[in-house]
Amino acid sequence: MAAWEQTPSGYYPGQPAPPQPGFVSGGQNKQQYSQEAPLFGSGFNSPQSPSAPNMQSSYQQQQTDGFSSSFGEKNIRMAFLRKVYSILMCQLAVTLAFGTVFFAHKPTQTYVAENPAIMWLAFIMMIVTLLTLSCCHEVRRTAPANYIFLALFTVAESFLVGCIVSIHKLDSVIFAVGMTSIVCLGLTIFAFQTKMDFTMMGGALFVGVLILFLFGIFTIFFPSRIGSLVYSAGGAFIFSLYLIYDTQLMIGGEHKYSISPEEYVFAALNLYIDVINLFLHILNLISASRD
């Protein structure tokens, strides 16, 4: 008798159970499973296997729950990304407004130049708010305190950026803004599309920033055109990698490390710092190459 010979009422008692279709991940098309379900139950629709319909129902419920869970997580992550980029756009708009005022309103430049204490006050406020958002877990997760500190940091950073760009030529600043926009857009698309996992590069990027900082101190005491070019090019490269790194942390998914959706203020802060530093290094690179 064949091992899988069938009778009108089902398979012969005592014969091995027919092979069951393999379990699949929660993301498999549910419609495909529903089409295979009659084949799954046909060999068990007999008095010898009364529990078969329950097994099939349980499997369908598992598939549905897995699909819903995956779909829900994706919705949460997409809402998180939209929120972060909305905050980032507001931050960049404030920075652009400060830069425009410093270029268009000469009395503002004169007043700030005659009162350097304002720049030191903005620098201190930037450091304090940055350390607060970076180190105080409860502050950056609690509204409206997180928005208040982020707004103070953005205003202080924008003021300092306005002071920096005011000493550069207008065409250099416009060119740097355009290049930064193109680079950021390209790197963001790359971070979303690439299979490479940059979230494991946090330690290496930190070392790179530390080396860049020490080299920057060296160029202060031993200024040179070549040193300035190397410093600006290195800074642009490192913060380009940081932009990819922070973007993939937000994406999550298959990457090894990811940032919690509750950290939307911290994620926006990281991206803003990456973009501003990238812009400043590109601006210095353009200005140094023209001198």
Side-chain angles (χ1 to χ4, degrees):
M1 180 186 302
W4 301 107
E5 185 175 353
Q6 189 175 13
T7 66
S9 62
Y11 290 88
Y12 279 105
Q15 297 297 329
Q20 303 178 17
F23 278 48
V24 294
S25 63
Q28 182 173 343
N29 193 332
K30 293 186 293 183
Q31 183 178 2
Q32 179 182 355
Y33 173 75
S34 64
Q35 293 174 351
E36 295 176 353
L39 296 178
F40 180 84
S42 62
F44 288 87
N45 191 17
S46 64
Q48 288 78 16
S49 53
S51 62
N54 294 332
M55 294 173 59
Q56 179 180 346
S57 175
S58 175
Y59 177 59
Q60 286 179 327
Q61 184 64 38
Q62 179 183 354
Q63 287 289 93
T64 304
D65 292 344
F67 182 85
S68 300
S69 176
S70 176
F71 186 74
E73 290 177 2
K74 184 177 180 180
N75 278 347
I76 292 174
R77 184 61 62 173
M78 292 304 298
F80 167 65
L81 290 174
R82 287 193 296 268
K83 194 169 188 177
V84 170
Y85 281 112
S86 298
I87 297 173
L88 178 62
M89 291 300 106
C90 293
Q91 291 178 282
L92 294 177
V94 172
T95 306
L96 181 61
F98 269 87
T100 303
V101 169
F102 270 85
F103 264 113
H105 196 249
K106 294 298 180 183
T108 302
Q109 296 184 22
T110 305
Y111 181 79
V112 173
E114 294 175 351
N115 298 273
I118 301 178
M119 290 187 290
W120 284 107
L121 180 62
F123 180 77
I124 293 173
M125 186 169 70
M126 181 200 70
I127 295 297
V128 171
T129 52
L130 177 62
L131 291 177
T132 302
L133 290 173
S134 300
C135 302
C136 299
H137 176 82
E138 294 299 328
V139 172
R140 68 172 184 260
R141 285 195 174 193
T142 305
N146 52 3
Y147 287 111
I148 293 174
F149 276 90
L150 185 64
L152 292 175
F153 172 82
T154 303
V155 170
E157 181 75 6
S158 300
F159 181 85
L160 294 175
V161 171
C163 294
I164 294 173
V165 300
S166 64
I167 64 176
H168 293 272
K169 296 179 180 179
L170 180 60
D171 57 341
S172 298
V173 175
I174 295 176
F175 191 48
V177 170
M179 286 191 62
T180 303
S181 302
I182 295 173
V183 171
C184 290
L185 178 61
L187 292 176
T188 302
I189 295 174
F190 174 77
F192 272 87
Q193 298 295 329
T194 184
K195 299 298 182 181
M196 299 175 60
D197 190 357
F198 285 81
T199 62
M200 297 183 294
M201 296 179 58
L205 291 174
F206 176 77
V207 172
V209 169
L210 183 60
I211 295 174
L212 182 69
F213 175 75
L214 296 176
F215 186 78
I217 296 177
F218 176 82
T219 57
I220 293 176
F221 291 100
F222 303 96
S224 66
R225 182 172 178 271
I226 299 298
S228 180
L229 288 172
V230 172
Y231 173 76
S232 299
F237 177 73
I238 289 176
F239 283 101
S240 295
L241 293 179
Y242 253 117
L243 183 60
I244 300 174
Y245 169 79
D246 290 325
T247 301
Q248 288 194 344
L249 284 179
M250 292 192 308
I251 298 173
E254 298 179 354
H255 303 110
K256 186 174 182 180
Y257 300 104
S258 62
I259 190 170
S260 170
E262 298 179 4
E263 298 283 6
Y264 52 90
V265 167
F266 189 60
L269 175 68
N270 289 336
L271 290 181
Y272 177 72
I273 292 175
D274 296 339
V275 173
I276 294 300
N277 279 281
L278 180 60
F279 164 72
L280 293 177
H281 283 291
I282 291 177
L283 178 60
N284 289 333
L285 186 62
I286 294 173
S287 298
S289 62
R290 288 185 172 184
D291 292 340

